Amino acid sequence: MRGIAETPSYVVMQPTTLCNLDCAYCYLPWRAADRRMSVEVAEAVAAGVGDWAEAGRFSVVWHGGEPLAAGREHLAALMAPFPAGVEHHVQTNATLVDDAWCEFFLATGMRVSVSVDGPRERNGDRVNRGGQPAYDRIMRGIGVLRRHGIGFSALCVVPEPTPDRAVELYAYFLDLGCDVLGINIEEQEGVNARVNDHAAADVRGFWSALTAAWRRDPRLHLREIEWSLRYAAAVLDGDEDAVLPRQLDPIPTVAHDGAVILLSPELAGFSHPRYGDFSTGNVLATPLPELLRGAVATPWIAEFLTGVERCRSECAYFGFCGGAHAANRYFEIGRFDGTVTNHCRNSKMRLWEGVLDHVEEHEQPGPRTAARP
């Protein structure tokens, strides 16, 4: 985990800034405006990913705003320039999903991930522009996906992590029918200024209870728990240094206007007197591979890499997480060379501790569990 790789595993594309919902925890600054990506931007990105797609699995993630708000014809036009070997994914709130969209997903092979936060009473933050609950529309869209036999992932934001909430959420998503579940404890970033400072025991208990629920009925791929257990197994095998990649994935995010923001999609649309607009350049002026090769010359990225080295030298959890995320540092601390954030505590440190709590509680006599920091 030294430096930034020049070859990403995926690129994030913003087909429109517009979202038809107005979720209370959303970080996006322009979600009420329909600023659409031009086909020229998509063509410029596609021209640069051919070698990456030939080298191995490569994905394009369409992420807004609400990507479906761009419309089927426009989204198809944006997808068309990409080579055949590229996988296309979409992150959607599902409120616009209908039979025609499902036919589109099937025809294009697009993989679908739905944002939903659990049972109706846990979706109070997910509302439309009139402040009305969006849950029924989300569920209607999910129902259409299921009727068409389209597998989907689910992404759940958790504002208040507690052990009871973990058990409730896992049971809900088992019934929902998703294949993969990702859990995001709410983050303080972008225009969302709500502080995510939770009691350590609650968060640790949340992850421990979620691990227990998953192990009782592991029909879902549970992103955070499975990653943690893979890392724990590597620690026990003395091979933990091989788990993280050798370099950070640059995660290039291409904004609607072609600006390229690396490492943290959440920085798109923001600017700062010291750091500028956080972009490394624009694909309409410079090919994407060239922008990645020059990434470390971007001042804020250089500052971020200094922070990563501080994490390496100061934090016992570094081998598990690889350093605090750039956007979390900026929006919580105001700088990129800081270290521990609430996001670190909630989604890295307490995650690792909670998984180990579960493992130790259920451990049979024998080899010791993975070492704690």
PDB file of all heavy atoms in Angstrom, residues 156-190:
ATOM      1  N   CYS A 156     -26.827  -0.520   2.318  1.00  0.00           N
ATOM      2  CA  CYS A 156     -27.613  -0.041   3.454  1.00  0.00           C
ATOM      3  C   CYS A 156     -26.805   0.977   4.250  1.00  0.00           C
ATOM      4  O   CYS A 156     -25.679   0.684   4.674  1.00  0.00           O
ATOM      5  CB  CYS A 156     -27.995  -1.228   4.336  1.00  0.00           C
ATOM      6  SG  CYS A 156     -28.767  -0.799   5.905  1.00  0.00           S
ATOM      7  N   VAL A 157     -27.372   2.152   4.462  1.00  0.00           N
ATOM      8  CA  VAL A 157     -26.762   3.164   5.332  1.00  0.00           C
ATOM      9  C   VAL A 157     -27.367   3.027   6.721  1.00  0.00           C
ATOM     10  O   VAL A 157     -28.591   2.962   6.878  1.00  0.00           O
ATOM     11  CB  VAL A 157     -26.996   4.581   4.781  1.00  0.00           C
ATOM     12  CG1 VAL A 157     -26.476   5.631   5.770  1.00  0.00           C
ATOM     13  CG2 VAL A 157     -26.314   4.750   3.431  1.00  0.00           C
ATOM     14  N   VAL A 158     -26.503   2.977   7.732  1.00  0.00           N
ATOM     15  CA  VAL A 158     -26.937   2.782   9.112  1.00  0.00           C
ATOM     16  C   VAL A 158     -26.596   4.037   9.921  1.00  0.00           C
ATOM     17  O   VAL A 158     -25.431   4.270  10.252  1.00  0.00           O
ATOM     18  CB  VAL A 158     -26.263   1.547   9.740  1.00  0.00           C
ATOM     19  CG1 VAL A 158     -26.738   1.343  11.179  1.00  0.00           C
ATOM     20  CG2 VAL A 158     -26.538   0.304   8.902  1.00  0.00           C
ATOM     21  N   PRO A 159     -27.578   4.868  10.261  1.00  0.00           N
ATOM     22  CA  PRO A 159     -27.295   6.069  11.056  1.00  0.00           C
ATOM     23  C   PRO A 159     -26.989   5.761  12.520  1.00  0.00           C
ATOM     24  O   PRO A 159     -26.205   6.479  13.148  1.00  0.00           O
ATOM     25  CB  PRO A 159     -28.575   6.901  10.929  1.00  0.00           C
ATOM     26  CG  PRO A 159     -29.302   6.325   9.749  1.00  0.00           C
ATOM     27  CD  PRO A 159     -28.948   4.867   9.746  1.00  0.00           C
ATOM     28  N   GLU A 160     -27.636   4.731  13.083  1.00  0.00           N
ATOM     29  CA  GLU A 160     -27.465   4.417  14.502  1.00  0.00           C
ATOM     30  C   GLU A 160     -27.118   2.936  14.661  1.00  0.00           C
ATOM     31  O   GLU A 160     -28.015   2.096  14.779  1.00  0.00           O
ATOM     32  CB  GLU A 160     -28.749   4.748  15.274  1.00  0.00           C
ATOM     33  CG  GLU A 160     -29.098   6.227  15.297  1.00  0.00           C
ATOM     34  CD  GLU A 160     -28.082   7.057  16.081  1.00  0.00           C
ATOM     35  OE1 GLU A 160     -27.405   6.480  16.961  1.00  0.00           O
ATOM     36  OE2 GLU A 160     -27.974   8.260  15.810  1.00  0.00           O
ATOM     37  N   PRO A 161     -25.851   2.586  14.685  1.00  0.00           N
ATOM     38  CA  PRO A 161     -25.463   1.174  14.788  1.00  0.00           C
ATOM     39  C   PRO A 161     -25.551   0.651  16.216  1.00  0.00           C
ATOM     40  O   PRO A 161     -24.936   1.187  17.134  1.00  0.00           O
ATOM     41  CB  PRO A 161     -24.006   1.190  14.306  1.00  0.00           C
ATOM     42  CG  PRO A 161     -23.508   2.572  14.621  1.00  0.00           C
ATOM     43  CD  PRO A 161     -24.689   3.480  14.498  1.00  0.00           C
ATOM     44  N   THR A 162     -26.364  -0.384  16.419  1.00  0.00           N
ATOM     45  CA  THR A 162     -26.480  -1.067  17.705  1.00  0.00           C
ATOM     46  C   THR A 162     -26.627  -2.560  17.422  1.00  0.00           C
ATOM     47  O   THR A 162     -27.002  -2.954  16.313  1.00  0.00           O
ATOM     48  CB  THR A 162     -27.709  -0.588  18.498  1.00  0.00           C
ATOM     49  OG1 THR A 162     -28.891  -0.915  17.753  1.00  0.00           O
ATOM     50  CG2 THR A 162     -27.654   0.915  18.762  1.00  0.00           C
ATOM     51  N   PRO A 163     -26.369  -3.414  18.406  1.00  0.00           N
ATOM     52  CA  PRO A 163     -26.518  -4.859  18.172  1.00  0.00           C
ATOM     53  C   PRO A 163     -27.923  -5.252  17.720  1.00  0.00           C
ATOM     54  O   PRO A 163     -28.077  -6.069  16.807  1.00  0.00           O
ATOM     55  CB  PRO A 163     -26.164  -5.459  19.544  1.00  0.00           C
ATOM     56  CG  PRO A 163     -25.235  -4.465  20.162  1.00  0.00           C
ATOM     57  CD  PRO A 163     -25.753  -3.127  19.723  1.00  0.00           C
ATOM     58  N   ASP A 164     -28.958  -4.701  18.339  1.00  0.00           N
ATOM     59  CA  ASP A 164     -30.321  -5.039  17.934  1.00  0.00           C
ATOM     60  C   ASP A 164     -30.593  -4.648  16.486  1.00  0.00           C
ATOM     61  O   ASP A 164     -31.277  -5.365  15.748  1.00  0.00           O
ATOM     62  CB  ASP A 164     -31.337  -4.357  18.852  1.00  0.00           C
ATOM     63  CG  ASP A 164     -31.359  -4.953  20.252  1.00  0.00           C
ATOM     64  OD1 ASP A 164     -30.815  -6.063  20.431  1.00  0.00           O
ATOM     65  OD2 ASP A 164     -31.909  -4.303  21.167  1.00  0.00           O
ATOM     66  N   ARG A 165     -30.069  -3.494  16.088  1.00  0.00           N
ATOM     67  CA  ARG A 165     -30.255  -3.049  14.705  1.00  0.00           C
ATOM     68  C   ARG A 165     -29.610  -4.022  13.727  1.00  0.00           C
ATOM     69  O   ARG A 165     -30.162  -4.296  12.655  1.00  0.00           O
ATOM     70  CB  ARG A 165     -29.662  -1.649  14.536  1.00  0.00           C
ATOM     71  CG  ARG A 165     -29.820  -1.045  13.151  1.00  0.00           C
ATOM     72  CD  ARG A 165     -31.250  -0.640  12.852  1.00  0.00           C
ATOM     73  NE  ARG A 165     -31.779   0.281  13.833  1.00  0.00           N
ATOM     74  CZ  ARG A 165     -31.637   1.616  13.759  1.00  0.00           C
ATOM     75  NH1 ARG A 165     -30.996   2.160  12.750  1.00  0.00           N
ATOM     76  NH2 ARG A 165     -32.161   2.399  14.685  1.00  0.00           N
ATOM     77  N   ALA A 166     -28.458  -4.565  14.079  1.00  0.00           N
ATOM     78  CA  ALA A 166     -27.770  -5.506  13.197  1.00  0.00           C
ATOM     79  C   ALA A 166     -28.609  -6.750  12.942  1.00  0.00           C
ATOM     80  O   ALA A 166     -28.746  -7.213  11.800  1.00  0.00           O
ATOM     81  CB  ALA A 166     -26.419  -5.895  13.803  1.00  0.00           C
ATOM     82  N   VAL A 167     -29.182  -7.298  13.995  1.00  0.00           N
ATOM     83  CA  VAL A 167     -30.003  -8.508  13.858  1.00  0.00           C
ATOM     84  C   VAL A 167     -31.237  -8.216  12.997  1.00  0.00           C
ATOM     85  O   VAL A 167     -31.599  -9.003  12.111  1.00  0.00           O
ATOM     86  CB  VAL A 167     -30.420  -9.017  15.250  1.00  0.00           C
ATOM     87  CG1 VAL A 167     -31.394 -10.188  15.129  1.00  0.00           C
ATOM     88  CG2 VAL A 167     -29.183  -9.433  16.056  1.00  0.00           C
ATOM     89  N   GLU A 168     -31.867  -7.088  13.251  1.00  0.00           N
ATOM     90  CA  GLU A 168     -33.052  -6.698  12.489  1.00  0.00           C
ATOM     91  C   GLU A 168     -32.714  -6.533  11.008  1.00  0.00           C
ATOM     92  O   GLU A 168     -33.442  -7.025  10.126  1.00  0.00           O
ATOM     93  CB  GLU A 168     -33.597  -5.386  13.040  1.00  0.00           C
ATOM     94  CG  GLU A 168     -34.744  -4.791  12.246  1.00  0.00           C
ATOM     95  CD  GLU A 168     -35.042  -3.360  12.671  1.00  0.00           C
ATOM     96  OE1 GLU A 168     -34.111  -2.529  12.703  1.00  0.00           O
ATOM     97  OE2 GLU A 168     -36.219  -3.089  12.970  1.00  0.00           O
ATOM     98  N   LEU A 169     -31.617  -5.849  10.712  1.00  0.00           N
ATOM     99  CA  LEU A 169     -31.253  -5.586   9.326  1.00  0.00           C
ATOM    100  C   LEU A 169     -30.914  -6.865   8.574  1.00  0.00           C
ATOM    101  O   LEU A 169     -31.337  -7.051   7.421  1.00  0.00           O
ATOM    102  CB  LEU A 169     -30.068  -4.616   9.260  1.00  0.00           C
ATOM    103  CG  LEU A 169     -30.358  -3.172   9.651  1.00  0.00           C
ATOM    104  CD1 LEU A 169     -29.077  -2.356   9.628  1.00  0.00           C
ATOM    105  CD2 LEU A 169     -31.407  -2.554   8.725  1.00  0.00           C
ATOM    106  N   TYR A 170     -30.183  -7.756   9.206  1.00  0.00           N
ATOM    107  CA  TYR A 170     -29.792  -8.961   8.484  1.00  0.00           C
ATOM    108  C   TYR A 170     -31.021  -9.806   8.140  1.00  0.00           C
ATOM    109  O   TYR A 170     -31.136 -10.327   7.017  1.00  0.00           O
ATOM    110  CB  TYR A 170     -28.780  -9.783   9.274  1.00  0.00           C
ATOM    111  CG  TYR A 170     -28.190 -10.880   8.423  1.00  0.00           C
ATOM    112  CD1 TYR A 170     -27.272 -10.576   7.423  1.00  0.00           C
ATOM    113  CD2 TYR A 170     -28.592 -12.204   8.566  1.00  0.00           C
ATOM    114  CE1 TYR A 170     -26.745 -11.557   6.597  1.00  0.00           C
ATOM    115  CE2 TYR A 170     -28.077 -13.201   7.743  1.00  0.00           C
ATOM    116  CZ  TYR A 170     -27.154 -12.867   6.763  1.00  0.00           C
ATOM    117  OH  TYR A 170     -26.647 -13.843   5.931  1.00  0.00           O
ATOM    118  N   ALA A 171     -31.951  -9.919   9.070  1.00  0.00           N
ATOM    119  CA  ALA A 171     -33.176 -10.675   8.792  1.00  0.00           C
ATOM    120  C   ALA A 171     -33.951 -10.032   7.642  1.00  0.00           C
ATOM    121  O   ALA A 171     -34.495 -10.732   6.770  1.00  0.00           O
ATOM    122  CB  ALA A 171     -34.042 -10.741  10.046  1.00  0.00           C
ATOM    123  N   TYR A 172     -33.982  -8.708   7.618  1.00  0.00           N
ATOM    124  CA  TYR A 172     -34.699  -8.004   6.550  1.00  0.00           C
ATOM    125  C   TYR A 172     -34.081  -8.298   5.191  1.00  0.00           C
ATOM    126  O   TYR A 172     -34.797  -8.611   4.221  1.00  0.00           O
ATOM    127  CB  TYR A 172     -34.680  -6.497   6.824  1.00  0.00           C
ATOM    128  CG  TYR A 172     -35.237  -5.679   5.689  1.00  0.00           C
ATOM    129  CD1 TYR A 172     -36.607  -5.455   5.582  1.00  0.00           C
ATOM    130  CD2 TYR A 172     -34.403  -5.143   4.723  1.00  0.00           C
ATOM    131  CE1 TYR A 172     -37.134  -4.720   4.538  1.00  0.00           C
ATOM    132  CE2 TYR A 172     -34.915  -4.397   3.658  1.00  0.00           C
ATOM    133  CZ  TYR A 172     -36.282  -4.193   3.570  1.00  0.00           C
ATOM    134  OH  TYR A 172     -36.787  -3.470   2.521  1.00  0.00           O
ATOM    135  N   PHE A 173     -32.768  -8.199   5.093  1.00  0.00           N
ATOM    136  CA  PHE A 173     -32.133  -8.374   3.788  1.00  0.00           C
ATOM    137  C   PHE A 173     -32.141  -9.830   3.328  1.00  0.00           C
ATOM    138  O   PHE A 173     -32.129 -10.087   2.116  1.00  0.00           O
ATOM    139  CB  PHE A 173     -30.726  -7.776   3.803  1.00  0.00           C
ATOM    140  CG  PHE A 173     -30.735  -6.275   3.745  1.00  0.00           C
ATOM    141  CD1 PHE A 173     -30.488  -5.512   4.882  1.00  0.00           C
ATOM    142  CD2 PHE A 173     -31.043  -5.618   2.563  1.00  0.00           C
ATOM    143  CE1 PHE A 173     -30.524  -4.132   4.829  1.00  0.00           C
ATOM    144  CE2 PHE A 173     -31.087  -4.234   2.507  1.00  0.00           C
ATOM    145  CZ  PHE A 173     -30.830  -3.487   3.643  1.00  0.00           C
ATOM    146  N   LEU A 174     -32.188 -10.768   4.252  1.00  0.00           N
ATOM    147  CA  LEU A 174     -32.395 -12.155   3.847  1.00  0.00           C
ATOM    148  C   LEU A 174     -33.734 -12.300   3.124  1.00  0.00           C
ATOM    149  O   LEU A 174     -33.832 -12.964   2.089  1.00  0.00           O
ATOM    150  CB  LEU A 174     -32.377 -13.082   5.068  1.00  0.00           C
ATOM    151  CG  LEU A 174     -31.028 -13.551   5.592  1.00  0.00           C
ATOM    152  CD1 LEU A 174     -31.242 -14.425   6.821  1.00  0.00           C
ATOM    153  CD2 LEU A 174     -30.241 -14.314   4.529  1.00  0.00           C
ATOM    154  N   ASP A 175     -34.767 -11.681   3.654  1.00  0.00           N
ATOM    155  CA  ASP A 175     -36.094 -11.760   3.046  1.00  0.00           C
ATOM    156  C   ASP A 175     -36.197 -10.935   1.761  1.00  0.00           C
ATOM    157  O   ASP A 175     -37.002 -11.251   0.883  1.00  0.00           O
ATOM    158  CB  ASP A 175     -37.164 -11.273   4.026  1.00  0.00           C
ATOM    159  CG  ASP A 175     -37.375 -12.242   5.188  1.00  0.00           C
ATOM    160  OD1 ASP A 175     -37.011 -13.423   5.046  1.00  0.00           O
ATOM    161  OD2 ASP A 175     -37.903 -11.804   6.226  1.00  0.00           O
ATOM    162  N   LEU A 176     -35.386  -9.888   1.658  1.00  0.00           N
ATOM    163  CA  LEU A 176     -35.482  -8.991   0.500  1.00  0.00           C
ATOM    164  C   LEU A 176     -35.104  -9.701  -0.797  1.00  0.00           C
ATOM    165  O   LEU A 176     -35.631  -9.368  -1.862  1.00  0.00           O
ATOM    166  CB  LEU A 176     -34.578  -7.772   0.715  1.00  0.00           C
ATOM    167  CG  LEU A 176     -34.723  -6.641  -0.298  1.00  0.00           C
ATOM    168  CD1 LEU A 176     -36.090  -5.968  -0.146  1.00  0.00           C
ATOM    169  CD2 LEU A 176     -33.604  -5.609  -0.113  1.00  0.00           C
ATOM    170  N   GLY A 177     -34.176 -10.646  -0.710  1.00  0.00           N
ATOM    171  CA  GLY A 177     -33.801 -11.388  -1.905  1.00  0.00           C
ATOM    172  C   GLY A 177     -32.554 -10.900  -2.604  1.00  0.00           C
ATOM    173  O   GLY A 177     -32.268 -11.323  -3.728  1.00  0.00           O
ATOM    174  N   CYS A 178     -31.775 -10.017  -1.975  1.00  0.00           N
ATOM    175  CA  CYS A 178     -30.534  -9.563  -2.597  1.00  0.00           C
ATOM    176  C   CYS A 178     -29.459 -10.646  -2.495  1.00  0.00           C
ATOM    177  O   CYS A 178     -29.541 -11.549  -1.662  1.00  0.00           O
ATOM    178  CB  CYS A 178     -30.048  -8.266  -1.954  1.00  0.00           C
ATOM    179  SG  CYS A 178     -29.757  -8.372  -0.175  1.00  0.00           S
ATOM    180  N   ASP A 179     -28.444 -10.543  -3.357  1.00  0.00           N
ATOM    181  CA  ASP A 179     -27.357 -11.508  -3.366  1.00  0.00           C
ATOM    182  C   ASP A 179     -26.186 -11.066  -2.487  1.00  0.00           C
ATOM    183  O   ASP A 179     -25.495 -11.892  -1.897  1.00  0.00           O
ATOM    184  CB  ASP A 179     -26.835 -11.712  -4.797  1.00  0.00           C
ATOM    185  CG  ASP A 179     -27.924 -12.162  -5.746  1.00  0.00           C
ATOM    186  OD1 ASP A 179     -28.748 -12.999  -5.342  1.00  0.00           O
ATOM    187  OD2 ASP A 179     -27.963 -11.662  -6.888  1.00  0.00           O
ATOM    188  N   VAL A 180     -25.954  -9.765  -2.451  1.00  0.00           N
ATOM    189  CA  VAL A 180     -24.817  -9.189  -1.738  1.00  0.00           C
ATOM    190  C   VAL A 180     -25.331  -8.023  -0.916  1.00  0.00           C
ATOM    191  O   VAL A 180     -26.208  -7.268  -1.361  1.00  0.00           O
ATOM    192  CB  VAL A 180     -23.724  -8.691  -2.722  1.00  0.00           C
ATOM    193  CG1 VAL A 180     -22.542  -8.099  -1.967  1.00  0.00           C
ATOM    194  CG2 VAL A 180     -23.271  -9.810  -3.649  1.00  0.00           C
ATOM    195  N   LEU A 181     -24.791  -7.859   0.284  1.00  0.00           N
ATOM    196  CA  LEU A 181     -25.164  -6.740   1.151  1.00  0.00           C
ATOM    197  C   LEU A 181     -23.912  -5.990   1.581  1.00  0.00           C
ATOM    198  O   LEU A 181     -22.956  -6.585   2.076  1.00  0.00           O
ATOM    199  CB  LEU A 181     -25.910  -7.249   2.391  1.00  0.00           C
ATOM    200  CG  LEU A 181     -26.233  -6.220   3.472  1.00  0.00           C
ATOM    201  CD1 LEU A 181     -27.119  -5.109   2.928  1.00  0.00           C
ATOM    202  CD2 LEU A 181     -26.900  -6.895   4.679  1.00  0.00           C
ATOM    203  N   GLY A 182     -23.935  -4.679   1.367  1.00  0.00           N
ATOM    204  CA  GLY A 182     -22.891  -3.801   1.874  1.00  0.00           C
ATOM    205  C   GLY A 182     -23.474  -2.889   2.933  1.00  0.00           C
ATOM    206  O   GLY A 182     -24.603  -2.386   2.795  1.00  0.00           O
ATOM    207  N   ILE A 183     -22.728  -2.680   4.003  1.00  0.00           N
ATOM    208  CA  ILE A 183     -23.184  -1.851   5.122  1.00  0.00           C
ATOM    209  C   ILE A 183     -22.301  -0.614   5.224  1.00  0.00           C
ATOM    210  O   ILE A 183     -21.076  -0.721   5.368  1.00  0.00           O
ATOM    211  CB  ILE A 183     -23.121  -2.626   6.456  1.00  0.00           C
ATOM    212  CG1 ILE A 183     -24.044  -3.853   6.429  1.00  0.00           C
ATOM    213  CG2 ILE A 183     -23.464  -1.705   7.624  1.00  0.00           C
ATOM    214  CD1 ILE A 183     -25.517  -3.531   6.449  1.00  0.00           C
ATOM    215  N   ASN A 184     -22.916   0.552   5.152  1.00  0.00           N
ATOM    216  CA  ASN A 184     -22.206   1.814   5.367  1.00  0.00           C
ATOM    217  C   ASN A 184     -22.758   2.493   6.607  1.00  0.00           C
ATOM    218  O   ASN A 184     -23.918   2.933   6.602  1.00  0.00           O
ATOM    219  CB  ASN A 184     -22.382   2.764   4.174  1.00  0.00           C
ATOM    220  CG  ASN A 184     -21.580   2.350   2.966  1.00  0.00           C
ATOM    221  OD1 ASN A 184     -20.764   1.430   3.022  1.00  0.00           O
ATOM    222  ND2 ASN A 184     -21.813   3.024   1.857  1.00  0.00           N
ATOM    223  N   ILE A 185     -21.974   2.536   7.673  1.00  0.00           N
ATOM    224  CA  ILE A 185     -22.384   3.380   8.799  1.00  0.00           C
ATOM    225  C   ILE A 185     -22.293   4.826   8.328  1.00  0.00           C
ATOM    226  O   ILE A 185     -21.310   5.221   7.691  1.00  0.00           O
ATOM    227  CB  ILE A 185     -21.498   3.115  10.026  1.00  0.00           C
ATOM    228  CG1 ILE A 185     -21.742   1.676  10.531  1.00  0.00           C
ATOM    229  CG2 ILE A 185     -21.786   4.124  11.135  1.00  0.00           C
ATOM    230  CD1 ILE A 185     -20.927   1.288  11.730  1.00  0.00           C
ATOM    231  N   GLU A 186     -23.343   5.587   8.571  1.00  0.00           N
ATOM    232  CA  GLU A 186     -23.436   6.945   8.029  1.00  0.00           C
ATOM    233  C   GLU A 186     -22.143   7.724   8.232  1.00  0.00           C
ATOM    234  O   GLU A 186     -21.537   7.686   9.312  1.00  0.00           O
ATOM    235  CB  GLU A 186     -24.601   7.697   8.671  1.00  0.00           C
ATOM    236  CG  GLU A 186     -24.788   9.091   8.106  1.00  0.00           C
ATOM    237  CD  GLU A 186     -25.930   9.856   8.753  1.00  0.00           C
ATOM    238  OE1 GLU A 186     -26.795   9.223   9.397  1.00  0.00           O
ATOM    239  OE2 GLU A 186     -25.965  11.094   8.622  1.00  0.00           O
ATOM    240  N   GLU A 187     -21.752   8.451   7.182  1.00  0.00           N
ATOM    241  CA  GLU A 187     -20.509   9.208   7.210  1.00  0.00           C
ATOM    242  C   GLU A 187     -20.787  10.710   7.156  1.00  0.00           C
ATOM    243  O   GLU A 187     -21.708  11.155   6.476  1.00  0.00           O
ATOM    244  CB  GLU A 187     -19.624   8.806   6.023  1.00  0.00           C
ATOM    245  CG  GLU A 187     -19.278   7.327   6.012  1.00  0.00           C
ATOM    246  CD  GLU A 187     -18.607   6.887   4.727  1.00  0.00           C
ATOM    247  OE1 GLU A 187     -17.737   7.625   4.238  1.00  0.00           O
ATOM    248  OE2 GLU A 187     -18.971   5.809   4.204  1.00  0.00           O
ATOM    249  N   GLN A 188     -19.965  11.458   7.846  1.00  0.00           N
ATOM    250  CA  GLN A 188     -20.029  12.914   7.800  1.00  0.00           C
ATOM    251  C   GLN A 188     -19.163  13.365   6.631  1.00  0.00           C
ATOM    252  O   GLN A 188     -17.938  13.394   6.715  1.00  0.00           O
ATOM    253  CB  GLN A 188     -19.506  13.510   9.112  1.00  0.00           C
ATOM    254  CG  GLN A 188     -19.487  15.031   9.142  1.00  0.00           C
ATOM    255  CD  GLN A 188     -18.788  15.565  10.373  1.00  0.00           C
ATOM    256  OE1 GLN A 188     -18.595  14.856  11.354  1.00  0.00           O
ATOM    257  NE2 GLN A 188     -18.394  16.822  10.324  1.00  0.00           N
ATOM    258  N   GLU A 189     -19.807  13.701   5.510  1.00  0.00           N
ATOM    259  CA  GLU A 189     -19.043  14.089   4.330  1.00  0.00           C
ATOM    260  C   GLU A 189     -19.932  14.863   3.373  1.00  0.00           C
ATOM    261  O   GLU A 189     -21.158  14.795   3.436  1.00  0.00           O
ATOM    262  CB  GLU A 189     -18.450  12.865   3.625  1.00  0.00           C
ATOM    263  CG  GLU A 189     -19.473  11.860   3.159  1.00  0.00           C
ATOM    264  CD  GLU A 189     -18.847  10.595   2.615  1.00  0.00           C
ATOM    265  OE1 GLU A 189     -17.615  10.476   2.626  1.00  0.00           O
ATOM    266  OE2 GLU A 189     -19.608   9.713   2.165  1.00  0.00           O
ATOM    267  N   GLY A 190     -19.284  15.611   2.487  1.00  0.00           N
ATOM    268  CA  GLY A 190     -20.026  16.425   1.542  1.00  0.00           C
ATOM    269  C   GLY A 190     -20.923  17.410   2.246  1.00  0.00           C
ATOM    270  O   GLY A 190     -20.515  18.071   3.197  1.00  0.00           O
TER     271      GLY A 190
END
